[in-house]
Amino acid sequence: MPICYHCGQQTSEDYYCSKCGQSYCSLHKDPIDHECNLLLESLRLQQVPLDSAYITNSQTIPTISSQEYTSHTDSVIRGTTDGTYTWYRQEKQIPEDAFSPESGISFKGILLAHKSELLHFIIGGSLIFIIGLIAFWDAQLFVLGYGWALFMLAGFYTTAFLFHEFGHRQVALHFGLQTKFRLLTFGMLLTLIGLFTGLFSLISNSPAIPSLALPGAVVVLGLDKVNRKTGLCKAAGPIVNLIYGTILLMISFLIPPIIYPLNYFFALAAYLNYMLGTFNMIPLGILDGQNIFKWNKKVYFILMASLGIFLIISGILVYTPLGTSLYFPL
């Protein structure tokens, strides 16, 4: 059966790309899905002809045993350690600065792909902060003289999101991978919908409509298979939320009850971190949990259990009379 040149999987029907001269499965038939520009850029940098640098789909794929790892300097064939999958593209195929406009690489589903990372952070963080203001809005806070709390909670909401993404980013940099925070086209659409529905609920004084806020995420180049590197990069985000939330929870106990509700708001901020981390551990779709579960189930269940336990504890402290008795001055 034909083999997809991008993912190495057998396919009942292959699609030929006239631009790079290779055949692909239905999932990677479009040039942007098999990174056609990146492939051609690699050939240009190596200054070798296509037929001498790559195997054709008619060749037999070598079987790699569980103890073997092959890496050839004159080809792009690379085997995985478990022998179940052959990865065709080497990391050296990625240009030195793939995010630069001069790289010629198109990024699917990314808004303003070649703009500065700082701009992406500012836009994404600002949208999260505004949605946080809407979500925590309560006119009674201003009546009681706690208007400052609204901005503090929105700030905690924003940092929970940004620190999560920074976790992914820093671990990817540790492994020498190219990575940047980028606005996602579909995520921005969901965020803007959530922003408008939140404003509508606020203005009309109607019940708030649940909304998703995911304006962007860290994009990492080179995570083409599920292994330790991928698992650690994905786990970094929820781990940061676990650590950040625990620090905030500890601070909530250290703050004297006499300055209530500051201690309560720190507990609420901890709850937001545990909630974000737990949500991202769901092993579905593009969420972190899917790759963590595939990489190491033990790590997955330990991290999921830790976040779940602290989510329940902080939820009890925030939303039950027990929390009131602990944080409210007697």
Side-chain angles (χ1 to χ4, degrees):
M1 294 181 66
I3 296 172
C4 174
Y5 195 74
H6 182 81
C7 66
Q9 299 292 326
Q10 290 185 334
T11 175
S12 58
E13 185 176 4
D14 62 334
Y15 299 85
Y16 179 76
C17 176
S18 58
K19 188 175 181 180
C20 63
Q22 300 302 322
S23 297
Y24 302 92
C25 64
S26 59
L27 293 177
H28 301 117
K29 62 180 181 179
D30 295 329
I32 195 169
D33 290 322
H34 63 253
E35 300 172 322
C36 197
N37 287 342
L38 190 152
L39 189 65
L40 294 174
E41 175 68 8
S42 171
L43 291 175
R44 186 187 68 79
L45 293 175
Q46 296 177 51
Q47 296 182 342
V48 292
L50 182 68
D51 56 359
S52 66
Y54 296 90
I55 61 170
T56 63
N57 290 327
S58 61
Q59 290 178 288
T60 302
I61 298 177
T63 301
I64 311 298
S65 69
S66 60
Q67 302 299 321
E68 292 178 334
Y69 181 90
T70 61
S71 180
H72 304 286
T73 57
D74 57 349
S75 71
V76 298
I77 308 173
R78 173 141 56 173
T80 61
T81 54
D82 62 0
T84 60
Y85 181 75
T86 300
W87 183 37
Y88 285 79
R89 298 187 298 107
Q90 291 182 336
E91 291 174 11
K92 68 179 181 180
Q93 286 184 279
I94 301 176
E96 186 174 347
D97 188 2
F99 292 101
S100 169
E102 288 75 26
S103 68
I105 297 176
S106 301
F107 291 93
K108 188 176 184 179
I110 295 180
L111 191 66
L112 305 174
H114 298 298
K115 296 296 182 180
S116 71
E117 187 176 34
L118 178 60
L119 177 64
H120 284 254
F121 267 124
I122 291 174
I123 295 175
S126 298
L127 287 172
I128 292 291
F129 186 80
I130 293 171
I131 288 180
L133 289 176
I134 297 173
F136 295 113
W137 179 267
D138 188 346
Q140 193 67 19
L141 288 174
F142 293 91
V143 174
L144 297 173
Y146 298 137
W148 51 268
L150 178 65
F151 298 93
M152 186 182 76
L153 290 173
F156 279 133
Y157 184 61
T158 304
T159 53
F161 169 77
L162 292 180
F163 286 1
H164 176 101
E165 296 301 326
F166 269 124
H168 294 312
R169 182 182 184 276
Q170 294 311 114
V171 172
L173 289 175
H174 170 75
F175 285 115
L177 301 172
Q178 290 192 53
T179 178
K180 286 186 183 295
F181 178 84
R182 284 291 178 258
L183 298 173
L184 306 176
T185 305
F186 184 68
M188 284 287 287
L189 178 62
L190 289 178
T191 303
L192 291 175
I193 292 175
L195 179 62
F196 286 120
T197 56
L199 286 172
F200 175 79
S201 299
L202 191 62
I203 296 173
S204 62
N205 200 27
S206 59
I209 302 173
S211 59
L212 292 175
L214 183 64
V218 166
V219 176
V220 181
L221 303 182
L223 298 182
D224 295 304
K225 57 181 179 177
V226 178
N227 56 11
R228 180 176 177 272
K229 185 186 296 184
T230 299
L232 290 176
C233 284
K234 295 294 184 180
I239 289 175
V240 167
N241 287 132
L242 178 61
I243 296 173
Y244 184 31
T246 303
I247 292 173
L248 294 172
L249 190 62
M250 292 173 63
I251 293 175
S252 74
F253 289 121
L254 295 175
I255 296 175
I258 194 172
I259 54 176
Y260 176 91
L262 183 62
N263 48 4
Y264 170 81
F265 290 142
F266 269 84
L268 179 56
Y271 174 79
L272 292 174
N273 273 275
Y274 297 137
M275 183 172 62
L276 177 60
T278 302
F279 173 76
N280 274 279
M281 286 299 293
I282 298 174
L284 295 174
I286 62 172
L287 297 176
D288 302 325
Q290 185 178 64
N291 282 312
I292 300 172
F293 184 81
K294 290 180 179 179
W295 164 57
N296 192 314
K297 292 179 176 57
K298 182 179 179 180
V299 171
Y300 174 84
F301 285 115
I302 290 175
L303 184 53
M304 185 63 160
S306 300
L307 284 164
I309 291 172
F310 278 101
L311 178 66
I312 294 173
I313 292 174
S314 60
I316 292 173
L317 293 173
V318 170
Y319 296 110
T320 69
L322 176 61
T324 303
S325 64
L326 285 174
Y327 292 120
F328 193 79
L330 299 177

